[in-house]
Amino acid sequence: MADKPAAEVAVDEALVARLLADQHPDLAARPLRLVASGWDNAIVRAGEDLAVRVPRRAAAADLIRHEQRWLPVLAPRLPVDTPVPLRHGEPTAYFPWAWSVTPWLPGTTAAVLAAGERRPLAEPLAAFVTAMHRPAPTDAPHNPVRGVPLRGRHDAVRERLGSGLVPEADRVLTLWEDLSRAPAWTGPPLWLHGDLHPANMLVRDGVLTAVLDFGDLTAGDPATDLATAWLTFDAPGRDSFARALAGAYDEATWRRARGWALSLATALLAHSDDVPLLRAVGEHTLREVLGG
């Protein structure tokens, strides 16, 4: 059975306490609690209002730097809160990568809500996408697996389908072959969140309040982000999301978005056995993509 990548450095409260004491001693007395350990980063809550975001493997190290460089630039124009780094941490002799101190953003991840309960998020999420998708500068981060031509994900999708971990693999492959032939994006590279699924959204009292985890931030084809129509919503929610974006994207972009959703579903299903919440997102997405 597949699972998330192994940590190359064990991140726990003791490590974070040492990093804070050495580099931000005014924060060192705060109570610390490990609250999340994802594919790339661990999150340690520091007191009531701060969090420490620390890479757990080398592949995430540059992603932290991208957030530190670009999120303060992008956040002021976005309609919801984002975890803009407040303090930067540097590599040390005992920890090899950059890390960040961010605000602690309260709320419940949208991934724990039933798809029907996520329908009210459609219009605010469309507003986030609209604000995000603006032409990016030439020095925007490059991400080899987001924002790129959809056909470039063909080998990865086929490998996952051959793993035995993705249901209805033959049907998925047939649909993938069709969607991946959609015309490529010919517009300017647009800013992309890059990982816009419901586990990276916070909700309070049914309202979208924050979007998290900009580690996959990049520029390119907006279809990558529009895949959230299948990752996050059921058919009625997807219709509301599309209506809120009416006229902004052509039919080919929406076809690529469905293809991106299919690609991301296979990734979640093939690599999230030990992260039930993300596996559930993958299962939901596959159902929605196959259903239309």
Side-chain angles (χ1 to χ4, degrees), residues 122-170:
E123 290 188 10
L125 189 60
F128 171 86
V129 166
T130 299
M132 189 80 198
H133 288 181
R134 298 184 186 181
T138 57
D139 58 342
H142 171 69
N143 188 320
V145 296
R146 299 287 194 275
V148 297
L150 182 60
R151 193 68 183 175
R153 305 308 300 146
H154 183 69
D155 289 347
V157 170
R158 287 188 65 95
E159 180 180 356
R160 295 169 196 145
L161 293 178
S163 70
L165 297 169
V166 180
E168 300 190 71
D170 290 343

Side-chain angles (χ1 to χ4, degrees), residues 15 26 73 83 102 108 112 135 161 166 175 181 198 220 255 271 290:
L15 173 65
D26 59 313
V73 175
T102 72
T108 301
V112 305
L161 293 178
V166 180
L175 181 58
R181 288 193 289 267
R255 281 180 54 75
H271 300 295
L290 290 176

Side-chain angles (χ1 to χ4, degrees), residues 11 14 49 61 90-91 98 102 112 130 146 153 195 200 212 225 230 237:
V11 178
D49 59 340
E90 296 299 327
T102 72
V112 305
T130 299
R146 299 287 194 275
R153 305 308 300 146
D195 202 21
N200 284 336
L212 309 177
D225 279 355
W230 290 266

